[in-house]
Amino acid sequence: IEEKLMPEQTVLLIRDSAGPKTYGEVFGKGFGEMMKYTQTNKIQTSGHPFAIYLKYDTVTMFSVMDMGIAIEKMENAEKGKGRIRIENIPAQNIVVAYYFGPYEKTGPTYNALHQYCKESGKTLAGGPREIYITDPILEKDPMKVETDIVFPVK
C-alpha cells in the first residue's frame, strides 16, 4: 500500500450500474463508447480505463459507478455526447494497492486498504477507484492481470 498525490485529471465519464452477471457487458459497452468518442473527436487518452464506485451493495454485489478514462486535451471535445460527460477531477491524496489476479477476488485488497486507512487515521474522501492496468482479454493468465485499487483520502 502506497500513499501518493494523484494529479488533476480531465476525464471522460459514463455513469451506469451493473451486477455480478452484467459487469463485463456494461464495462465493454461503456469503454467502447468512450474509445469511439475519443477517435471521432481526435482526443488523446492519457491513462488506463478506470471505474469510480459510487454505491456498492455488499449483499447483491450490485454497483453504481462512473466508468472513465483520462484525456489529454479538451479543445476538440464537445461537452460530451449522449451518456459521455467531460469533467475535471481535482488533485487528491490517495492510498493505492497494486492487485494482481481476477476481479472477483479483490475483496481482501479492499479490506487491507480499509484497515490501513483506519490504522493511519485517514478518512475516505470519495468512492474507491479501480484502474484497469492490464486488459484481461489480452492477458490470458488471470494472475498477471493488474488492477490498481485507489482510495481518495483526507
Side-chain angles (χ1 to χ4, degrees):
I1 295 175
E2 187 177 5
E3 294 183 30
K4 297 168 71 169
L5 177 67
M6 182 176 276
E8 178 181 358
Q9 294 179 309
T10 300
V11 297
L12 299 181
L13 296 173
I14 291 178
R15 184 160 296 169
D16 209 331
S17 58
K21 293 182 176 155
T22 58
Y23 277 109
E25 177 185 326
V26 168
F27 276 84
K29 182 179 178 192
F31 288 128
E33 285 176 48
M34 284 184 272
M35 295 316 292
K36 183 177 178 185
Y37 181 82
T38 61
Q39 292 165 355
T40 301
N41 290 283
K42 298 178 174 50
I43 298 169
Q44 282 293 115
T45 60
S46 62
H48 297 280
F50 64 85
I52 300 171
Y53 289 87
L54 308 169
K55 293 180 186 172
Y56 180 74
D57 186 312
T58 56
V59 175
T60 64
M61 295 187 289
F62 187 83
S63 298
V64 175
M65 68 280 190
D66 278 338
M67 296 170 282
I69 190 148
I71 58 174
E72 287 288 338
K73 298 179 182 176
M74 288 180 39
E75 294 130 25
N76 295 334
E78 301 155 21
K79 292 288 183 194
K81 185 174 184 181
R83 300 192 313 154
I84 298 174
R85 308 183 324 269
I86 299 174
E87 293 186 11
N88 283 314
I89 298 175
Q92 55 192 173
N93 291 312
I94 62 166
V95 293
V96 59
Y98 307 97
Y99 169 79
F100 288 85
Y103 296 133
E104 62 273 9
K105 298 201 187 273
T106 59
T109 305
Y110 275 87
N111 293 340
L113 280 165
H114 280 293
Q115 186 66 31
Y116 179 88
C117 289
K118 184 178 177 182
E119 290 173 4
S120 60
K122 303 207 177 305
T123 56
L124 295 182
R129 181 189 298 201
E130 292 183 355
I131 303 172
Y132 306 109
I133 305 300
T134 311
D135 185 340
I137 293 170
L138 301 176
E139 176 54 65
K140 298 305 177 199
D141 181 351
M143 298 314 291
K144 292 182 179 176
V145 174
E146 180 181 353
T147 304
D148 295 351
I149 301 174
V150 176
F151 284 14
V153 294
K154 299 190 238 185

